[in-house]
Structures are given as C-alpha cells and as structure tokens.
Amino acid sequence: MQTAKTMKHYHKELSEAIENKFLRQTLDKFAVAYRANRQLIFADVNAKELIADIAAAKAATIGRYDELYDQFKAEAEKRGVIVHRAADGEEANRIICSIAGANKVKKIIKSKSMTGEEIHINRALEAIGCEVTETDLGEWIIQLRNEGPSHMVMPAIHLSRHQVADTFTGAVGEKQDSDIAKLVKVARRELRSRFAAADMGISGANFAIASSGTVAICTNEGNGRLTTTLPRVHVAICGIDKLVPSLHDAMRVLKVLPRNATSQILTSYVSWMTGATECTLNPDKKKIMHVVFLDNGRSALAKDPVCGPALNCVRCGACANVCPVFRLVGGHKMGHIYIGAIGLILTYFFHGHDKAGNLVQNCINCEACKDVCAAGIDLPAIIREIRARLNEEEGSPMASSLLAKVLANRKLFHTLLRFGKWAQRPVTGGTAFIRHLPEIFMPGGNFRALPAIAPKAFRDQWPGIKRKLSAGSKCRVGIFAGCAQDFVYPEQIRAAVEIFSAKGCTVEFPLEQSCCGLPVLSMGERMAAQSVAAQNVKAFAAGGYDYIVTLCASCASHIKNNYTRILSGQPELAADTARFVERIRDFSSFTRDVLQLGAPDLVKSGETVTYHAPCHLCRGLGVQEQPRALLADAAEYKPSAEEEVCCGFGGAYSVKFPEVSVQLLDMKLNNAEASGASTLVTDCPGCVMQLRGGEEKRGKKLKVEHMAEFLSGKLKK
Amino acid sequence: MTEAEEQILELFKKKAAVVSAKVVEVKDLEEAMSYALDVCEKKDFCELVYVGEGEKGGRYGQATQKMFAAPGLSDRQFGGLEKAGREKGFTVIREGMRGYVSGIDVGFSIADLGIADTGCCVLVSGGEDARLAGMVCEIHVVALAKSKIVNSLDDAENFMNGIMDKGAMFISFISGPSRTADIERVLTIGVHGPLELHVALMES
C-alpha cells in the first residue's frame, strides 16, 4: 500500500524498493517469463479481436449499471439471494457487519476479493469482534504479516520463501522449513479447520450476471469453493462494474482473463453460483446468501467520457506485469490498494486525490500496459488526463506551467531554445554534452550526460540545405522535426533529408511548426497541448505533402493517436487535422515501405548493430519489422534481449524519477552490450538522448545512432 | 464416432493434460468406478485428517482408514460401488460430507459436460455433498461421457443458460487439480483442493 505523503518521501520509498535485491530478481524474472508465457497461451486465439470485443461490450454496459443492478437483484432474489447496494466503502462495511450480526457470526473465512481490500472489510469485521481469516495463500501470508497486496493476482509476490517460512513459524508456533511445497501444506492443514469452523464465507466476484442473478468467481487454489460452500452464510462483494448483461458477456471475458492474468486457459476452478443452493447447516437447508454491490465512485466514473473506460478493467493484473516501473519498485510503490497502471487510476477515483497525487506521476508512458490490457483500456491516456485534472484542481507545478506558457508562443519558445546554446557554454566544455551541470539543477540526473543544444538548429540550417536540394519526382515529403531533433540533433534530420532526396523525394520543412505537445500533455497542461497541436496542423495544411515524416517516434505516435481527440473542440480544423494525422509517418516505416530502401541502396558492412525499439514506435504505432529489416540490409544485425522494453527516458519522467530512469537505462545498455554489437541504433531522438548519455558515462562501449544517421552512412553514393 | 467428434476428443485430452489432469479411457460408468477404486487402493493413506476430538483438542495426523465418497449416484450405482469398496477395506459414503472436511482419499463425480478447448469438466451440483466430495478429497476422479464433450466455451453456453435460467444451482468448471504459485511464483499442485484430478472418459 502506497502511503507516502510527500514526493520526497515517495522518492525515498522508491529508492529503498530499488535496493531490495530479492524484489528486483523476482520481478525481473517474472517480467521476462510473463511475456513469453503470454505469447504462448494466446497462440491459439486472436487476442486483438477478443480484446476489442470485450472493450466494445464493456463500453455498451458502462452506462447501464442501474438497470443491470435492478435486473440482477430481481433474478437473484427470485432464487433466494438478498442483494444490497452500497454507495461507498463505509456503507458496504456496515451492511456486511449487520449481516454478520444478524446471523450471529463469529468466525469468517474469505477468498480473494480486491473489492474487499478496497473497503478494508477485515478491519470493519474485526472491530465488531469477528475473527477473519484470508484463505487465498498469498492473502493469508500478507494478512499474517499485516501488509497490503503487492499484486492483484499474486498478493505476496514481494516475499521470499524464507520470509514466508518465518511468518508461518510465528503463526503456527513451530519452526517451519522454507521448502515451498511444505509451506503450501502448512496452509492446507492450518486453514482446513478454519474452513470447517467458519460461520460466514466472504468472496469477491469476477462476474455478476444480470440475466440470471449469477455470481461467478475464478480461483486456482480451491479456497473459493470451500469459502462459498462450507459456512452457513455466504457474502459476495462485488463492484457494480462487474455487472454483465448475460452469461455470454462473462464467457467472453473468461477467454482472456486467465490467459492474461496467469497464462492459463482457465483457472482450475470457475464457480458459477446462481441463487441460494443447499446448505444443511441452516434450518431450511438453504444457504444464506447475500450479494453486496459497491459503488464507491463507480457510477460517477461511468459518466466520465475520458476516464470511464477504466471501469472496463477485469482485474487481471497484466498492466503491472509488463510495467517497467512496477518491475523495479514493486506493487507497494505502484498503487494504494489496486496495483499497476489501473492502480494509479483507481487510487485517484476510489481512494482520493491526496493518495493519487504522487502515484500518477510515476508512469513513464511506455504504453506496455495499454498493449496487453484485457479490456483495451488506454491506461496511459487516462493517467495523463488525471495529471491534467490534478493540475487544474491544485494548480500546476511551476515547471509545467512555465513550459506551457512558453510553448503557447512558438517564436518565444524557439528563441529560448536558441538562447540555450549560449547559456549552456560554461557546462559543455565545448563538447556535445552538458558536462558540469551542478546537481542542484537536476537532482539525481547525473546518471547520464545530457546533450548540449546544437550550435545551429535545423530550422536555421534549413534555408541553406534547401538551396542545394533538387526537386524529386517520387513524392512530396514534409518534415516534422520535433524539438529534440530541431534543436539538439539537427544532424539526424540532415541525414534523413539526404536519404529522402537520394530516393527521389521533394523535401520541405515548414518553419511554423512547433513542439508536438506530448511533453506538456504528459505534465497535465491540456491547453498548451491543444494550442501547439493546432499550430502544427496549420503549419502543414497548405503544403500539399504526400507524406509528413518525423524521426521522432513519440511525436509520430502522439500525432497519430491523440491529435484527433485533442483538436476535437476545433471543428474548423477538422479536415486539416484529419489530413495531417493520416499523412504522418515515422522514419523507418516510411523509408522501408514507401521509399523501399533496401539492400540495393546500401553498402552492407560487417559492422555489428543492435536495436532499441522505442515504445512509441513498436507499440504506439505497431512498427516492428521495418527497422530491423533496414538494419539487416545495412549491417550485421544482432538482436538484444528485451529490445522492446523502455529505455527509461519517458521525456520529463527521467527528470522526475531519475532513480527509476537510471535503472531502466542500465538494463537496456547491459542487454545491448551483451548482444555483442558495436553500434546501438534506435528510432527516436529521446531514446538517443538517454542511451547516448548513458554510454557517454559508461565509457562509450557502444556507438549510439538514430536510424537515419546510421543509414545515411551506408548509402551507396 | 465421426471425424469431428474424434477431433474434439483429442483436443480435450490434449488440453486436460496441459492442466495436469490425468485422462484415462473406460468403457462405462462401472469401469470408471472400478478405476476410481483402484486409484484409492494404490494411493497412500490420506495425510491430512483430524485425529482426536474437538477443534482445540485434536491434531492432524495420517489416516488409518481409506475414505471414498461418491455422492450423486443412484441407489443401484452406489450399491455396487459400496460393496466393491468395502471388499477393499474402504469406507464408502455418499452423504454427510461435512463430517469429513479434514480430508478423504477419493471423491468420485460424474461430469455433466466437458469442454475440449479448455480441458475442463463441468459439474452441476446443487447439493453440498457433491461439491464437498470433490474438494476435500486428495484425488478427485471425474467420469465424463465422451458424448458430452463440446468443442468450446461458446458451445457450453446453451447448456448453462438452460440451468441458470431455471433456478438456484451451483455450476463448477474444473480444470486439473488445485494449484498455487503464490510463493515465489513456484507452481505447486494441491493447495486447498485435490492434489490430483483424474478424468475417466466413458465410451457410453
């Protein structure tokens, strides 16, 4: 459970987690294994199609909770179940405590319920004198240790077998071996008598089916079946977002949920409980069954056009499994109750803005979560939206509001960037890196050398370049530079211009273009993001380009995926925006697919090269094969492990969370160096900045280049 | 058996093996029951039974008597089973499972449906004895008629809707034995439920 009150305290906790060797090893192994297992388990189904179907079905359900609740209640009551609806956690706890009271319940067993965690039901029941025992192995372990879950599916993943043995030793009163099979037996033995003695069983619910009043749960251990069968009272706690119209809707989710959660086709048990079935302990031989639906902000969230899809979540935990930040710091630092990307979001909506303020900053926007989400939720976009709302509610931090103000005026922004090259002189030592930046300007940021601002921005070089270019016949290309290449790495654009001209393109560079707006959007500056987006659309509107190409994966993916939505409030720009978005292309796919650059154009060298796939290219735009094909045609391509994992840049993220960024950078460079290649190529100036800066500090074992630079050097002259 | 049925059967066997279920083929229910009795005979005594009296006064220890539970059989079916079990020295029961929550050796159930592409058995059991027998046993033997195997989850929907629409009922999908990976992500078979699941596929 994340409880840090201040950002400073949060940083301290993050650093402690990063230092936890066991946690690091466990989560590293898990991250790699999860990806491989997920791929295998989805081999026989069309994951994209299923996920799209789930998202569509969920979207159609989101506004219908009231109606579905009424239907569920009517159907369940027909079958002998009592159905409640609680507005918040407090009311849910009150209802459950009164059920316990009315039935003279003393001993309670629980199977896993994140909703139960959300409302702290154990505390409430213990306060009225009940004894509550968690029976999911992981939940029992953390209950004995008085901790919160660190993962939604594997709540005790942060603990070693030795810690579990110590915990069990304390609980059982005799020394326990750390052999895992034996520890599992301890739980089997110790909990069996609790099952037998319990008066009430509390379960969660993966589905609440309105058409039949059915509650369904997925479990592997079998504790769910015992919890719902043995005691005379069964209470199922269920968020109203778990309501689905029909069995068919539940089955659709069931095809993805276990696969995404634990790489299983199905969990060992799926229990479909319709109505009060036999229980011989009660006088009427029927189970006393209650279903308590929890709202706790869900109805309000359902009406939220941007963040509402967060309710599509099926609680598979996959967003944590692939999150590079979770992998480093673990779940206790990545959520209050709910963990991972969805945890950052639900903390804001269910547990309050104060608990979410620090957490929502800790997303690097690599989109790995969005890519695997079982319900197709655009998690990073919702996290950005929450940042914007927090800024609006509480005022922007100085850095982001300043940048927003400057960006709103392109000329001022570009003048300031040009001025930067003079201002940085004392710290560059005349090199291409900022070398002596006192720590005070960027606390913790000295893990990589930051590049200096180029002596002459690309936009200032352009008139000279343009004079030497001849018009090509193949197509008309407008270059969208993005700030990093325009002002820091103009040579990368020059290299691209050389390639485009050689392949017969007419190249243009509209000078009115500005920052794509992603940095300010990530900082939660909505208006600034809109204003630069409009500026860019207008800058390219009149040029009649066949393609608009950018060498920055983040600019490309931001424009492609977000501009239409960002500019939806400006209908006068709709046609130009659509044209802009349609024509924008990243460098590698344009060069490979449109210009057909390949072996005949290149002098293949024996140089060994490996690749870093920028998040916003491989996931944001789904471009995966083209860059690797280009590399293989130009040199000896040696794949690295985990090429598609984030390098740790994340724009402002690397400045906000340097302790995380440096770890991701180290893993990335370790993998790249282990490939045996001498050059590391990537497709985004932000990644170049991070990787080159890291190599500069490590002693330049690898040359780091942008794809355009690398290819221009291999072009047949 | 048509080619399509053959394929479904093969798929079921393949997927059930993936989830660590042991699949055997038998002629009929009688053979399935005698298979289950064999399993019971060959296994060690139940390692987890409560010895002594009362919740506080007792302790766990190894059983000295084999317990076999088969709720949900007809009188005639149960009569034969009970006799055969008794001859092997087992106690064979079909009700009162609450008295044996600490553990029994073998639970025997008849599946209502099999789903090939998930390798799971579908058990419809409103009665608590039927559910408990499959949960508190060390080995769960499920008899499944080959004719009741459908291809996919989708194909199970009509069957389930027919039951859920009618009234109160507990439907279970069971795929393999109970399992956990909650300690260091190490897969461990047999937590709260059975340590083994055997599926006896019946010709008829």
Side-chain angles (χ1 to χ4, degrees):
Chain A
M1 182 185 287
Q2 203 358 254
T3 52
K5 293 257 185 301
T6 62
M7 193 46 121
K8 195 174 164 195
H9 186 199
Y10 187 42
H11 277 298
K12 186 168 162 278
E13 288 194 4
L14 292 176
S15 295
E16 284 166 6
I18 288 168
E19 291 301 314
N20 180 337
K21 281 212 177 69
F22 172 79
L23 186 69
R24 283 290 300 274
Q25 253 172 12
T26 303
L27 296 182
D28 268 348
K29 256 200 286 183
F30 175 46
V32 174
Y34 173 77
R35 279 198 304 267
N37 292 339
R38 184 180 188 272
Q39 200 171 9
L40 284 177
I41 203 76
F42 274 106
D44 60 346
V45 288
N46 186 337
K48 289 253 178 291
E49 206 177 282
L50 256 179
I51 288 170
D53 287 351
I54 291 172
K58 286 273 189 181
T61 313
I62 240 168
R64 295 178 53 204
Y65 293 149
D66 290 343
E67 168 204 335
L68 292 172
Y69 170 77
D70 289 342
Q71 191 188 2
F72 181 96
K73 186 174 163 77
E75 292 300 326
E77 286 181 349
K78 261 191 236 168
R79 295 164 173 83
V81 178
I82 304 148
V83 182
H84 314 257
R85 182 169 178 165
D88 54 24
E90 216 173 297
E91 190 182 355
N93 286 337
R94 216 164 37 235
I95 293 168
I96 297 166
C97 286
S98 74
I99 296 168
N103 291 289
K104 301 195 170 42
V105 167
K106 286 279 161 233
K107 295 187 174 177
I108 299 172
I109 46 166
K110 266 185 75 197
S111 63
K112 198 163 170 26
S113 162
M114 284 306 294
T115 315
E117 297 277 356
E118 177 185 332
I119 61 176
H120 300 295
I121 179 65
N122 293 10
R123 280 190 218 160
L125 287 164
E126 281 159 5
I128 60 161
C130 291
E131 178 194 299
V132 186
T133 307
E134 296 283 353
T135 61
D136 172 87
L137 177 57
E139 290 281 343
W140 190 48
I141 295 167
I142 60 167
Q143 184 190 27
L144 291 172
R145 297 174 64 89
N146 202 14
E147 291 175 0
S150 70
H151 189 281
M152 294 201 290
V153 178
M154 292 162 292
I157 192 173
H158 59 291
L159 297 170
S160 73
R161 64 189 76 189
H162 307 289
Q163 288 169 298
V164 175
D166 290 347
T167 303
F168 282 7
T169 300
V172 177
E174 55 189 90
K175 179 79 186 145
Q176 298 300 327
D177 197 307
S178 62
D179 179 78
I180 291 176
K182 287 184 185 158
L183 290 168
V184 170
K185 286 271 191 292
V186 172
R188 180 180 175 91
R189 190 182 66 221
E190 291 301 315
L191 292 173
R192 193 58 76 86
S193 56
R194 312 265 184 119
F195 281 119
D199 306 302
M200 180 161 120
I202 297 180
S203 74
N206 291 98
F207 313 106
I209 302 171
S211 64
S212 56
T214 302
V215 170
I217 57 172
C218 302
T219 71
N220 272 316
E221 298 184 357
N223 61 320
R225 287 162 62 73
L226 288 167
T227 300
T228 56
T229 297
L230 276 170
R232 54 197 164 81
V233 186
H234 171 207
V235 176
I237 315 176
C238 182
I240 53 167
D241 52 317
K242 293 289 165 282
L243 279 160
V244 292
S246 68
L247 173 67
H248 183 67
D249 297 285
M251 289 288 225
R252 189 192 293 117
V253 174
L254 195 57
K255 288 177 198 164
V256 177
L257 173 60
R259 282 186 164 90
N260 229 32
T262 47
S263 308
Q264 291 174 283
I265 297 179
L266 276 186
T267 47
S268 298
Y269 304 101
V270 184
S271 300
W272 308 85
M273 295 167 281
T274 308
T277 49
E278 184 192 57
C279 176
T280 53
L281 296 178
N282 291 318
D284 63 352
K285 307 285 180 230
K286 288 266 181 286
K287 174 79 83 183
I288 298 165
M289 183 173 172
H290 293 258
V291 181
V292 179
F293 283 96
L294 176 71
D295 193 309
N296 201 25
R298 287 165 172 83
S299 291
L301 182 52
K303 296 193 184 87
D304 186 322
V306 185
C307 304
L311 290 167
N312 292 359
C313 174
V314 300
R315 308 281 189 267
C316 66
C319 55
N321 302 352
V322 297
C323 173
V325 182
F326 170 85
R327 174 175 174 177
L328 284 170
V329 303
H332 286 153
K333 311 288 172 264
M334 278 299 274
H336 181 66
I337 300 286
Y338 295 97
I339 310 289
I342 193 69
L344 307 190
I345 295 166
L346 296 184
T347 301
Y348 177 81
F349 288 104
F350 295 169
H351 300 288
H353 306 179
D354 55 323
K355 295 195 173 61
N358 295 335
L359 284 172
V360 295
Q361 305 306 323
N362 202 359
C363 163
I364 200 166
N365 191 29
C366 73
E367 300 190 350
C369 51
K370 175 183 171 183
D371 198 45
V372 298
C373 177
I377 308 168
D378 189 347
L379 298 148
I382 298 178
I383 292 169
R384 284 197 299 270
E385 173 68 19
I386 294 173
R387 288 180 190 164
R389 289 183 192 179
L390 283 170
N391 282 356
E392 283 153 13
E393 286 160 18
E394 288 156 17
S396 303
M398 196 178 66
S400 81
S401 60
L402 192 65
L403 180 59
K405 285 198 180 80
V406 170
L407 265 190
N409 179 338
R410 182 195 64 79
K411 280 192 178 140
L412 172 64
F413 175 53
H414 287 156
T415 306
L416 280 173
L417 280 174
R418 282 191 194 93
F419 176 73
K421 72 174 183 253
W422 303 110
Q424 73 193 359
R425 269 212 168 155
V427 291
T428 58
T431 69
F433 291 98
I434 294 174
R435 293 195 172 278
H436 311 291
L437 194 65
E439 179 77 6
I440 190 169
F441 287 118
M442 205 180 278
N446 272 342
F447 63 88
R448 60 174 176 204
L450 277 177
I453 289 183
K456 198 170 183 185
F458 183 78
R459 59 177 54 245
D460 299 326
Q461 299 179 28
W462 174 246
I465 297 168
K466 189 181 167 145
R467 266 196 302 280
K468 293 187 201 133
L469 290 178
S470 43
S473 54
K474 183 151 182 153
C475 58
R476 214 173 133 70
V477 178
I479 302 260
F480 181 82
C483 315
Q485 265 148 343
D486 195 349
F487 286 88
V488 180
Y489 299 126
E491 68 276 10
Q492 295 174 0
I493 317 181
R494 292 186 73 128
V497 171
E498 188 192 342
I499 294 168
F500 297 167
S501 292
K503 291 296 280 180
C505 305
T506 300
V507 185
E508 288 290 345
F509 182 83
L511 286 166
E512 287 302 307
Q513 62 181 287
S514 186
C515 169
C516 71
L518 180 62
V520 268
L521 190 68
S522 295
M523 291 165 129
E525 297 295 336
R526 205 195 309 267
M527 295 310 290
Q530 269 172 29
S531 111
V532 286
Q535 163 104 23
N536 287 327
V537 167
K538 288 180 205 154
F540 282 83
Y545 308 111
D546 299 311
Y547 298 94
I548 299 167
V549 180
T550 173
L551 280 69
C552 175
S554 297
C555 295
S557 127
H558 178 57
I559 293 167
K560 198 78 161 176
N561 298 325
N562 300 331
Y563 262 33
T564 310
R565 192 176 63 223
I566 288 173
L567 292 173
S568 60
Q570 288 171 263
E572 72 284 3
L573 283 180
D576 288 340
T577 303
R579 209 161 29 241
F580 186 60
V581 169
E582 190 226 325
R583 293 188 185 182
I584 195 90
R585 292 294 289 264
D586 66 283
F587 173 80
S588 278
S589 75
F590 174 72
T591 307
R592 187 70 177 183
D593 297 344
V594 179
L595 300 186
Q596 307 265 304
L597 189 85
D601 306 293
L602 300 163
V603 185
K604 180 162 177 162
S605 73
E607 183 179 351
T608 49
V609 56
T610 190
Y611 181 60
H612 162 62
C615 301
H616 296 159
L617 189 70
C618 67
R619 285 179 289 275
L621 295 170
V623 173
Q624 284 158 338
E625 281 158 27
Q626 298 92 329
R628 292 172 171 105
L630 286 166
L631 290 181
D633 277 350
E636 290 300 324
Y637 165 51
K638 289 177 169 281
S640 303
E642 304 199 69
E643 277 184 353
E644 305 205 334
V645 172
C646 182
C647 68
F649 180 64
Y653 183 90
S654 60
V655 180
K656 270 192 287 187
F657 293 99
E659 68 275 54
V660 177
S661 179
V662 65
Q663 300 292 335
L664 293 174
L665 174 60
D666 265 347
M667 289 201 281
K668 178 54 69 176
L669 292 177
N670 288 345
N671 282 332
E673 286 172 10
S675 74
S678 62
T679 304
L680 170 58
V681 170
T682 187
D683 254 318
C684 186
C687 304
V688 169
M689 200 179 283
Q690 174 88 341
L691 300 168
R692 202 180 270 174
E695 275 301 319
E696 179 72 15
K697 288 267 171 177
R698 283 162 84 115
K700 294 195 234 183
K701 280 174 230 139
L702 280 170
K703 186 164 81 181
V704 179
E705 289 196 310
H706 188 281
M707 182 69 83
E709 284 173 294
F710 180 76
L711 292 177
S712 78
K714 306 282 185 277
L715 218 49
K716 275 185 191 162
K717 306 284 172 193
Chain B
M1 194 176 270
T2 66
E3 201 176 315
E5 284 167 339
E6 199 75 59
Q7 274 176 2
I8 288 177
L9 180 65
E10 285 313 307
L11 182 63
F12 179 88
K13 287 199 258 182
K14 193 175 128 198
K15 297 290 182 182
V18 170
V19 294
S20 317
K22 184 173 180 196
V23 181
V24 294
E25 294 187 58
V26 295
K27 203 165 85 238
D28 51 17
L29 183 64
E30 202 170 328
E31 216 178 288
M33 290 191 287
S34 84
Y35 170 78
L37 289 168
D38 274 355
V39 166
C40 189
E41 188 165 29
K42 283 183 193 136
K43 80 182 280 298
D44 289 335
F45 283 102
C46 203
E47 60 181 43
L48 216 189
V49 292
Y50 207 60
V51 191
E53 279 175 27
E55 197 194 325
K56 291 262 189 279
R59 62 178 175 83
Y60 284 102
Q62 189 140 29
T64 49
Q65 168 70 32
K66 288 210 173 147
M67 293 291 308
F68 189 111
L73 295 185
S74 71
D75 290 348
R76 194 184 54 79
Q77 289 162 341
F78 184 75
L81 179 76
E82 209 266 335
K83 184 165 172 287
R86 206 172 44 225
E87 277 163 18
K88 289 179 186 286
F90 310 155
T91 304
V92 185
I93 54 169
R94 66 165 160 172
E95 58 193 6
M97 289 308 302
R98 281 185 181 276
Y100 303 93
V101 171
S102 68
I104 61 165
D105 290 281
V106 171
F108 181 81
S109 313
I110 302 172
D112 296 275
L113 205 71
I115 303 175
D117 72 349
T118 63
C120 83
C121 296
V122 180
L123 272 68
V124 181
S125 41
E128 61 175 30
D129 281 327
R131 265 173 283 146
L132 287 173
M135 283 183 260
V136 302
C137 58
E138 288 193 343
I139 301 180
H140 190 196
V141 180
V142 178
L144 168 64
K146 288 180 180 174
S147 60
K148 289 194 170 172
I149 303 176
V150 297
N151 188 46
S152 69
L153 279 177
D154 294 338
D155 301 321
E157 276 180 33
N158 279 343
F159 169 81
M160 291 176 63
N161 274 325
I163 293 162
M164 284 157 49
D165 287 348
K166 257 190 264 163
M169 190 50 78
F170 199 119
I171 305 176
S172 309
F173 289 2
I174 300 179
S175 319
S178 82
R179 63 187 65 216
T180 186
D182 272 355
I183 303 176
E184 293 192 10
R185 290 182 47 252
V186 175
L187 177 66
T188 313
I189 298 289
V191 199
H192 297 298
L195 314 176
E196 293 178 26
L197 177 79
H198 297 218
V199 181
L201 291 173
M202 301 181 290
E203 213 55 61
S204 56

